[in-house]
Protein backbone atom coordinates (compact mmCIF):
# COMPACT_ATOMS: atom_id res chain seq x y z
CA UNK A 1 0.00 0.00 0.00
CA UNK A 2 1.29 3.47 -0.92
CA UNK A 3 1.94 6.01 1.81
CA UNK A 4 -0.51 8.88 2.15
CA UNK A 5 1.21 12.20 1.68
CA UNK A 6 -1.73 14.46 2.46
CA UNK A 7 -1.60 15.60 6.08
CA UNK A 8 -4.34 17.15 8.25
CA UNK A 9 -2.67 20.57 7.84
CA UNK A 10 -3.06 20.20 4.06
CA UNK A 11 -6.82 19.70 4.44
CA UNK A 12 -7.03 22.86 6.59
CA UNK A 13 -5.20 24.92 3.94
CA UNK A 14 -7.39 23.44 1.19
CA UNK A 15 -10.54 24.33 3.15
CA UNK A 16 -9.35 27.91 3.52
CA UNK A 17 -8.59 28.11 -0.22
CA UNK A 18 -11.96 26.68 -1.29
CA UNK A 19 -13.87 28.98 1.06
CA UNK A 20 -12.34 32.04 -0.61
CA UNK A 21 -13.17 30.68 -4.06
CA UNK A 22 -16.73 29.78 -3.07
CA UNK A 23 -17.30 33.18 -1.51
CA UNK A 24 -16.38 34.80 -4.82
CA UNK A 25 -18.81 32.50 -6.68
CA UNK A 26 -21.67 32.52 -4.17
CA UNK A 27 -21.66 28.72 -3.78
CA UNK A 28 -21.18 26.28 -0.91
CA UNK A 29 -18.39 23.65 -0.76
CA UNK A 30 -18.83 20.11 0.48
CA UNK A 31 -15.76 18.00 1.30
CA UNK A 32 -15.33 14.64 -0.34
CA UNK A 33 -13.94 11.56 1.38
CA UNK A 34 -10.20 11.77 2.03
CA UNK A 35 -9.29 9.29 -0.71
CA UNK A 36 -11.65 10.70 -3.35
CA UNK A 37 -10.24 11.72 -6.74
CA UNK A 38 -11.10 15.40 -6.06
CA UNK A 39 -11.47 17.45 -2.88
CA UNK A 40 -14.80 19.31 -3.05
CA UNK A 41 -18.16 19.48 -4.72
CA UNK A 42 -19.64 22.98 -5.08
CA UNK A 43 -23.34 23.57 -4.56
CA UNK A 44 -25.81 26.31 -5.39
CA UNK A 45 -28.86 25.42 -3.33
CA UNK A 46 -29.65 21.76 -4.03
CA UNK A 47 -27.76 21.68 -7.33
CA UNK A 48 -24.14 20.57 -7.73
CA UNK A 49 -22.37 23.12 -9.93
CA UNK A 50 -18.73 21.90 -10.02
CA UNK A 51 -16.16 19.47 -8.68
CA UNK A 52 -12.81 20.88 -7.62
CA UNK A 53 -9.34 19.58 -6.87
CA UNK A 54 -7.47 21.98 -4.55
CA UNK A 55 -3.70 22.28 -4.28
CA UNK A 56 -1.88 24.62 -1.91
CA UNK A 57 1.72 25.52 -2.65
CA UNK A 58 4.31 27.20 -0.45
CA UNK A 59 5.78 29.30 -3.26
CA UNK A 60 4.64 32.29 -5.28
CA UNK A 61 2.82 31.71 -8.55
CA UNK A 62 5.72 33.22 -10.51
CA UNK A 63 8.31 30.85 -8.97
CA UNK A 64 7.89 28.43 -11.86
CA UNK A 65 6.59 29.00 -15.42
CA UNK A 66 4.22 26.02 -15.20
CA UNK A 67 2.17 24.12 -12.65
CA UNK A 68 2.92 20.38 -12.65
CA UNK A 69 0.17 17.82 -11.99
CA UNK A 70 -0.43 14.20 -12.96
CA UNK A 71 -2.30 13.66 -16.20
CA UNK A 72 -4.32 10.82 -14.67
CA UNK A 73 -5.62 13.11 -11.91
CA UNK A 74 -6.77 15.71 -14.43
CA UNK A 75 -8.31 13.11 -16.74
CA UNK A 76 -10.29 11.69 -13.83
CA UNK A 77 -11.42 15.17 -12.82
CA UNK A 78 -12.51 15.96 -16.40
CA UNK A 79 -14.26 12.62 -16.92
CA UNK A 80 -16.11 12.61 -13.59
CA UNK A 81 -17.21 16.21 -14.07
CA UNK A 82 -18.57 15.36 -17.52
CA UNK A 83 -20.38 12.34 -16.10
CA UNK A 84 -22.07 14.64 -13.57
CA UNK A 85 -22.72 17.41 -16.11
CA UNK A 86 -20.67 20.02 -14.22
CA UNK A 87 -17.25 21.66 -14.72
CA UNK A 88 -14.17 20.03 -13.22
CA UNK A 89 -11.71 22.59 -11.94
CA UNK A 90 -8.24 22.73 -10.48
CA UNK A 91 -7.82 25.46 -7.85
CA UNK A 92 -4.25 26.27 -6.84
CA UNK A 93 -3.37 28.56 -3.95
CA UNK A 94 0.11 30.03 -4.02
CA UNK A 95 1.58 32.40 -1.45
CA UNK A 96 0.61 35.38 -3.62
CA UNK A 97 -2.95 34.37 -4.51
CA UNK A 98 -5.08 31.69 -6.11
CA UNK A 99 -5.85 30.62 -9.65
CA UNK A 100 -8.31 28.24 -11.24
CA UNK A 101 -8.35 26.32 -14.51
CA UNK A 102 -10.88 24.00 -16.10
CA UNK A 103 -9.64 20.39 -16.33
CA UNK A 104 -10.54 20.14 -20.02
CA UNK A 105 -8.68 23.37 -20.81
CA UNK A 106 -5.63 22.14 -18.90
CA UNK A 107 -5.60 18.81 -20.71
CA UNK A 108 -6.00 20.43 -24.13
CA UNK A 109 -3.40 23.18 -23.75
CA UNK A 110 -0.70 22.02 -21.31
CA UNK A 111 2.59 20.46 -22.22
CA UNK A 112 3.10 16.79 -21.39
CA UNK A 113 6.13 14.99 -20.01
CA UNK A 114 7.23 12.23 -17.69
CA UNK A 115 7.87 13.67 -14.26
CA UNK A 116 6.88 13.98 -10.65
CA UNK A 117 8.64 13.95 -7.32
CA UNK A 118 11.88 12.05 -6.97
CA UNK A 119 12.63 13.11 -3.38
CA UNK A 120 10.32 10.56 -1.69
CA UNK A 121 11.89 7.38 -3.05
CA UNK A 122 8.42 6.39 -4.32
CA UNK A 123 8.53 5.12 -7.93
CA UNK A 124 4.77 5.72 -8.27
CA UNK A 125 5.40 9.47 -7.85
CA UNK A 126 6.98 9.44 -11.31
CA UNK A 127 4.24 9.46 -13.95
CA UNK A 128 2.98 11.26 -17.06
CA UNK A 129 2.38 14.89 -16.06
CA UNK A 130 0.97 18.14 -17.40
CA UNK A 131 2.94 21.38 -17.35
CA UNK A 132 0.13 23.95 -17.18
CA UNK A 133 1.37 27.48 -17.95
CA UNK A 134 0.71 29.71 -14.94
CA UNK A 135 -0.72 32.32 -17.34
CA UNK A 136 -3.57 29.88 -18.21
CA UNK A 137 -4.93 30.11 -14.64
CA UNK A 138 -7.71 32.62 -14.01
CA UNK A 139 -6.98 34.57 -10.83
CA UNK A 140 -9.58 34.45 -8.06
Amino acid sequence: MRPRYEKPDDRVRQWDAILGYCHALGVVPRSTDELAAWDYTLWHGQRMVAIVEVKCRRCASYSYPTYLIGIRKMETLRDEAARRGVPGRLLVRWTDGSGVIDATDALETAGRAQGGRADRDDPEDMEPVLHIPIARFRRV
Side-chain angles (χ1 to χ4, degrees), residues 91-102:
L91 173 68
V92 180
R93 174 180 273 179
W94 293 279
T95 57
D96 62 333
S98 297
V100 67
I101 189 166
D102 184 82

Side-chain angles (χ1 to χ4, degrees), residues 42-109:
L42 305 187
W43 296 81
H44 187 265
Q46 298 300 312
R47 186 171 64 95
M48 182 190 301
V49 295
I51 63 174
V52 182
E53 173 70 10
V54 180
K55 300 291 188 182
C56 296
R57 295 296 174 249
R58 296 172 197 248
C59 62
S61 60
Y62 54 82
S63 297
Y64 302 97
T66 62
Y67 182 81
L68 184 123
I69 190 166
I71 291 173
R72 186 175 61 220
K73 176 163 280 292
M74 293 302 285
E75 287 174 339
T76 300
L77 185 62
R78 176 202 58 201
D79 296 348
E80 288 299 320
R83 193 171 71 76
R84 289 167 170 72
V86 298
R89 301 215 168 102
L90 169 64
L91 173 68
V92 180
R93 174 180 273 179
W94 293 279
T95 57
D96 62 333
S98 297
V100 67
I101 189 166
D102 184 82
T104 300
D105 181 30
L107 285 159
E108 290 175 356
T109 62

